[in-house]
Amino acid sequence: MEFLSQTYIALRGPTGAPQSPADTISRLADRLSPSTLIADRRAAVLSLKGLARDHKADIGERALPGLLDVLQNDAEIDADIGKAVLETLNVLCEAEDGASAAARELGFKHTDQVLADEKAAHKIFALVGEQSFYLRFAALQYLATVLQNRRQVVQGHFLKAPAGPTSFIVILDDKREIIRNEGLYVVKSLISQSPEIQKILAFEGAFEKLFNIVLGEGGIDGGLAVQEALACVDGLLRFNQSNQSYLRASSLPPLLLSLLGYPPDLPHDAAPPQQFALQLWDDKQKRANAALVVSIIGILAKSTGPNAHDALTFAFNRCLVEIGLASNMPTTIKTQALRLLPTNLSILPLAHMVLTPYIPVPDTNGEEWDWLEPASGLDALVELVLHGEYNGILEGERRTKDGMELRAAAMGVFQNFVQKDEIREAIVQAMVPPADASEPAPVTPLLYALTAPPAQPLTSAAVAPTHLAAFLFAHLLRGSPRAKALALSIVPRPSSQGAGSFFVPADGAPAAPEPEAEEADEPQSLLSILSEHLSLALLARARADTPEREAREWDRLLVGYLTLLAQWLWEDPGAVRGFLEAGAISMLVEPINQTADTDVAIPGLCAFLLGVCYEFNREPGEITRSTIYPILTRLGLDMLAGRITHLRDDDRFKAVGPDTVVLPYPGVLAPHPAAGAPKQETDEAEVWFDWAFVDFWKSNYHTIEKAIATDPNSLSASAGQDTAMMVASLRDVIRNQASEIEALQAQLKSLSATAQERETLHEQIASLSTELQEAQEKSREVEKEQEDLLVLLDELNVKRRRDKARMREAGLDVSEDEGDEGDEDEE
Amino acid sequence: MAGVAWHYVLKFIITGDAAVGKSSLLVRLTDQRFLSNPDPTLGVEFGSKLITIPEESKVVKLQCWDTAGTESFRSITRSYYRGAAGCLLVYDVTSRQSFLNARTWLADVRAHADPNLTCILVGNKIDLCAEDGQPGRRPREVPADEADRWAKEEGLLFVEASAKSGENVEAAFVQATRDILDKIKRGMFDNDRSPGVKLSRPSNNTLTLEDDSTRTRCC
């Protein structure tokens, strides 16, 4: 109180005359100069703080430099003045969202002034490291404000601050909850979009501290602090490869699994414990925390790096699958988990994984749960797509947005799973009756849903399985000629037979009436069943007395059939023939011809399918291209092309994107508009097209547009002139290749000739060298022999000379020696 | 599960001039492969590796932060010095300048890092000046004994290595680790107090985190 009165007296001045705020503020600003006593400065700061809210601009103009000096020089020494100056600055820099544009502008201006000098920012970071509660808290609050206003500038200063990262890590350890929570908030915005700061904090051990907070606050059952800490972990990891590998290499990741109650070292063949699968999810905070944990798991599961098959990655992915298919987690978290599964599902043996799905016991308000028979992951997935979460028990007739999103996410997983041709073919093969057995192949749930006859009156709950089954089946066939060929031979058991009570075991005596039954109810191929249901649905739709909401469901069913057929018949002349022979033309022409209809989707799809039938009708059969062409011309080629292009303008078609399949159900069509429809109807949602089809259609509709205009006799009208050009270019390619082959063959021939030559030469050399060896040996022998002979001769000579001498001595007549002769000659 | 068991976690930084092969050394250590044409590091990259010191029968987890050598990242990379227990100061044996600059880097490290930090001087790229003249061979510009002498003067460990052939790469880290373990034994690193060294119970239950009390620093 004392200082207030002193200040008042000082402010009032000697005269007591009224003062303008500007005068007061400049006087107070003067008092901030370092030459005054610290107590005076403190008093001045406190007065300015009191005036700050009402005179932002004046204080900013006159006192801001003084305040910054105080911040620089006094804040560390005197906690009170430090707190006061930070709070004053905070008021000056605030730019709340709700404030007027001018006020916000002022806040930004002041922020820029403070941040212009990095020394001020560094001082604030240093003050965050101070132990004093008020000082630390005020510094954090001020940081939060300037971060909100000018994040990038603050981040730049932070990277250069001598005390930056360390002080923040200390805050995360602060036992005082208020400081720690404020610190979490500041860290969250500090790391946003700055990989460098993310890495430094990771280096300083932020992950460890954050997980400590999460654990200390009770895991996902904890409060807002847990959510903030998890959000920081998420922020440190997202788009930061370096931090992801840091965390993966640490001992922390298994902790994420245990936070959800999933044992990190669960053996592959063991089911996760019930306390994981069934938890209480009433607490909103727990849902938010769990959602964050799941998203972090998703990041780590994707960043596999060099070891995509390690145990941790597998555990992460399995945990995500378990959450999505066999738990009672909130629907949104399930959707999130399924979306986070990697697009390359080869590391996950979905078909061999055994899951135990749970369903709530009806009318227990989600408190009692039954578990179903263990099923393979793939079956559970298909089941989820076709019949919704918990078989639609909780949702009933309504299609909530969350429920539809979950089914769409499951569809995405299925699509990723069947990317590989072998997997698709195996799945389709399982629906084909074995060639030898009399017994038809078992009807899989997918096939059953696909071939279920449309019920009348049609409800949304009845349409969804068939509609979505058509999408799944299209995923199996799209672009795979072998899968399409297999699908042609699918002959499902007539569904009227129900559970197969008709069924005679193969080894039992055939019942007498069987042949008749066969005749009466001959099993139809899948394709003809589909065309039959298609024509049924077209008829039902055309009926005038169908209520609007039901008509919409018929349309949806048609979209399912038509999109599947369009993708199946594409480039498959065999299937086209089958479809045409089932009476396709007349059934497709009808809706195309409708004139008064506002709906563009069904006529567009029909026209497209008709075009596909014309284009790919390449096999000889009853209905040839020449039969169809007059029909096309009678309908009008322009009109057909128009119908096809108009599909593009359909809102339901336009709205579909790679990640948006589920659309809100238009409120106008709510079921009881008159009876004051309950508000919850607004979150009802629906699915019309999937992205895969939209993508398929967009890349191919142009081809069909052109194809319907081509002459029936033109050979490959795939794309009119384009094709001609393509054929020409392909011919060129072939010609080039042929000549190349020829040249290569010639080269090969000459090469093989030289090779042969070489070989003979080699042989020659070999034989010659052996010959040479032999010859050498022989000559050596001869030489030796010769030497021996010479020696012998010498010996004989000696002997002879001796004998001659002896004979001469004996007076015998002796012939002259050659040697002697020689001597004589010489003489 | 990732049943990683280690006795210590040590933080290493790798620093030195641009293009002396810091990232290549790290990749050689962690992935046993050679980066033939790496991009310059931006900021900092992380890598980790478990090594065993047989005579101490200790498993040590090395957390290595590979820093950018480019000048523009200096202020960022400095933030990492403080928390490190070991430092690889790298130069290129075929570039005298990089060796001379090592002095500046060392001064920088000394100014910011823990005084007990173990620093090892690593002369990289010795494959380039191997005796058999391969193509792309470059003459050695820094004699080994000169570097050795300087390292002794400054109290650094020293080794010459090649990230390309892998020669001495792990040895460099092992040598530095030994030195740190030795310092720990002599009590120079107080486990709770140095951010660069962390003691971890081997094969500990991963659910419990070490509750290391951290001290406040004012720098």
Side-chain angles (χ1 to χ4, degrees), chain A residues 20 23 36 45 115 152 173 182 331-332 348 355 465 532 539 563 571 608 649 685 756 772 782 796:
Chain A
S20 72
D23 284 346
T36 57
V45 172
L115 294 178
Q152 281 170 332
D173 258 348
E182 190 72 24
T331 314
T332 45
L348 217 57
L355 299 172
E532 196 180 301
L539 282 176
T563 54
E571 289 182 340
F608 182 71
D649 304 329
Q756 249 172 352
L772 179 68
V782 172
L796 277 179

Side-chain angles (χ1 to χ4, degrees), chain B residues 57-110:
Chain B
S57 63
K58 287 272 190 311
V59 182
V60 177
K61 180 177 184 120
L62 300 183
Q63 296 182 331
C64 305
W65 272 267
D66 166 33
T67 66
T70 344
E71 184 61 38
S72 52
F73 288 105
R74 271 268 171 113
S75 61
I76 292 175
T77 55
R78 266 183 202 136
S79 313
Y80 290 84
Y81 293 170
R82 181 177 30 237
C87 167
L88 258 73
L89 180 49
V90 187
Y91 70 92
D92 173 356
V93 291
T94 65
S95 152
R96 180 142 201 94
Q97 194 54 47
S98 76
F99 177 64
L100 296 177
N101 288 347
R103 283 153 219 273
T104 339
W105 286 106
L106 182 64
D108 220 25
V109 170
R110 291 251 159 94

Side-chain angles (χ1 to χ4, degrees), chain A residues 163 443 512 558 643 723:
Chain A
V443 178
L558 281 169
R643 290 271 194 239
T723 327

Side-chain angles (χ1 to χ4, degrees), chain A residues 129 131 136 159-160 162-166 170 173 196 199-200 202-205 208-209 211-212 215 242-243 245-247 249-252 254-255 257-258 264-266 306 311-312 315, chain B residues 1-2 4 6 11-13 31 42-48 61 63 65 73 75-76 79-84 195 198 204 206-219:
Chain A
Q131 270 299 332
R136 190 178 259 191
L159 282 171
K160 293 189 181 141
T166 330
V170 173
D173 258 348
E196 291 316 325
K199 285 186 211 168
I200 291 181
F203 174 82
E204 297 278 351
E208 288 79 359
K209 307 288 174 214
F211 275 100
N212 268 340
L215 289 184
S242 177
N243 276 0
S245 46
Y246 171 78
L247 189 62
S250 75
S251 57
L252 294 170
L255 203 62
L257 294 174
S258 12
D265 41 10
L266 187 71
L312 189 64
Chain B
M1 279 315 306
V4 232
W6 56 81
K11 288 188 183 178
F12 268 77
I13 48 166
D31 297 4
L42 302 176
V44 179
E45 288 302 327
F46 170 78
S48 80
K61 180 177 184 120
Q63 296 182 331
W65 272 267
F73 288 105
S75 61
I76 292 175
S79 313
Y80 290 84
Y81 293 170
R82 181 177 30 237
K198 248 195 279 174
N204 64 342
T206 42
L207 299 187
T208 54
L209 287 168
E210 312 96 279
D211 189 317
D212 37 1
S213 58
T214 322
R215 63 173 163 163
T216 32
R217 289 161 158 273
C218 42
C219 318

Side-chain angles (χ1 to χ4, degrees), chain A residues 83-105:
Chain A
K83 170 180 177 259
V85 77
L86 284 167
E87 283 171 353
T88 315
L89 288 172
N90 199 15
V91 173
L92 293 181
C93 294
E94 258 170 357
E96 277 160 8
D97 289 336
S100 69
R104 284 172 59 84
E105 214 37 62

